[in-house]
Amino acid sequence: MIQWMKLHEVVLLWMGFVSILTFAGTLFTIPLLLVRIPEDYFTRTAGPHNRRQYRHPAIRIFVLVIKNLLGILFIAGGIAMLFLPGQGILTILIGIILTNFPGKPALERWLIRHSAVYHPVNRLRRWAHHPPLQIPHRDKK
């Protein structure tokens, strides 16, 4: 193992650099994104008026693909941060919000109801002088 580490010293240095950069980046971007979520995001039944609906279809598709790829990147980074330094659960929440998939609203509501997610998010929002997120009622089965 030590010999492998000596042979791949440059790779390990780059991995360490990327890990530190990612950790520092999430310390700034995750709170910024969580503060920008509308307070009724998890309780509203219909989405806000979409200004992008009038764009050219090619631009709309391009933006949708980029948004979903970014969301997947956040989810993957959040899963890694469950084991590495970082804000794993909050990063996964941002990734889920950015992606589009069937059952997304139910998963978002389930995730935000957990106090381990809800309380830190609202602590950040309170610190930034934003109203707390509204918790949705339990879904009826």
Side-chain angles (χ1 to χ4, degrees):
M1 179 71 159
I2 293 175
Q3 183 157 348
W4 182 90
M5 291 172 65
K6 287 180 181 179
L7 289 172
H8 297 93
E9 187 175 325
V10 174
V11 173
L12 292 173
L13 286 172
W14 273 104
M15 287 174 56
F17 175 72
V18 169
S19 177
I20 290 169
L21 187 64
T22 304
F23 176 69
T26 61
L27 289 178
F28 296 107
T29 58
I30 298 303
L32 179 69
L33 293 172
L34 290 172
V35 166
R36 295 192 56 165
I37 297 172
E39 66 185 275
D40 65 342
Y41 178 84
F42 297 103
T43 57
R44 66 177 118 162
T45 55
H49 178 68
N50 189 355
R51 291 178 279 168
R52 294 181 297 219
Q53 69 183 346
Y54 300 110
R55 287 188 187 161
H56 190 276
I59 294 173
R60 194 171 349 137
I61 290 170
F62 177 75
V63 169
L64 186 65
V65 168
I66 295 298
K67 183 177 79 88
N68 279 285
L69 286 174
L70 188 61
I72 291 168
L73 184 65
F74 270 96
I75 291 170
I79 290 170
M81 284 180 223
L82 293 174
F83 306 101
L84 302 170
Q87 305 170 13
I89 299 291
L90 299 178
T91 306
I92 292 171
L93 176 64
I94 294 296
I96 290 171
I97 289 171
L98 287 172
T99 55
N100 296 62
F101 57 89
K104 172 185 163 181
L107 179 60
E108 289 173 334
R109 287 189 300 270
W110 177 82
L111 192 56
I112 197 65
R113 279 191 202 109
H114 288 33
S115 62
V117 176
Y118 179 73
H119 292 302
V121 168
N122 278 333
R123 199 172 314 124
L124 284 169
R125 292 176 64 84
R126 190 172 39 253
W127 179 75
H129 306 291
H130 283 75
L133 293 175
Q134 298 168 3
I135 298 179
H137 297 290
R138 296 264 180 217
D139 292 338
K140 305 241 178 181
K141 294 179 181 171

